[in-house]
């Protein structure tokens, strides 16, 4: 992710915090350690969307997503 894109994320996070928004939906294609850190440092939860592949969903959870939006996967598909 480029610095300009991270700046956009900063603007979105400022809006979220200023408006008492508690979570941010992020397309899995934009998930990275930098993005996760910025969102988590702002105190927000991360909903990562739309992932229908179990392995990719697990990678996003391991990276820091709090929840996954999927058309097909169930919570029981994952180990706790």
């Amino acid at each position: 992710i480029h610095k300009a894109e991270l700046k956009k994320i900063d603007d979105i996070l400022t809006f979220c915090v200023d408006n008492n928004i508690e979570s941010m939906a992020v397309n899995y294609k934009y998930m990275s350690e930098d993005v996760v850190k910025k969102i988590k440092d702002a105190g927000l939860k991360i909903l990562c969307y739309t992932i229908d592949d179990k392995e990719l969903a697990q990678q996003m959870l391991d990276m820091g997503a709090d929840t996954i939006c999927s058309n097909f996967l169930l919570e029981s598909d994952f180990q706790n």
Side-chain angles (χ1 to χ4, degrees):
I1 291 192
H2 300 281
K3 288 183 181 181
E5 291 169 326
L6 290 175
K7 172 66 173 118
K8 289 179 188 177
I9 291 170
D10 287 339
D11 293 341
I12 294 167
L13 290 173
T14 298
F15 176 86
C16 291
V17 170
D18 289 350
N19 291 282
N20 298 315
I21 296 170
E22 298 179 357
S23 64
M24 185 173 184
V26 180
N27 185 297
Y28 75 92
K29 296 174 187 174
Y30 297 103
M31 287 283 285
S32 70
E33 289 181 13
D34 290 338
V35 169
V36 170
K37 180 171 178 15
K38 283 186 167 289
I39 296 170
K40 294 293 186 169
D41 285 352
L44 277 69
K45 302 278 187 189
I46 301 172
L47 177 146
C48 193
Y49 68 93
T50 299
I51 305 172
D52 294 327
D53 177 78
K54 181 179 174 181
E55 288 76 25
L56 180 58
Q58 188 62 57
Q59 287 175 0
M60 296 299 106
L61 291 168
D62 292 344
M63 189 182 295
D66 296 290
T67 190
I68 300 293
C69 180
S70 175
N71 294 307
F72 307 109
L73 299 175
L74 303 172
E75 184 177 358
S76 60
D77 291 327
F78 300 91
Q79 297 178 356
N80 291 334

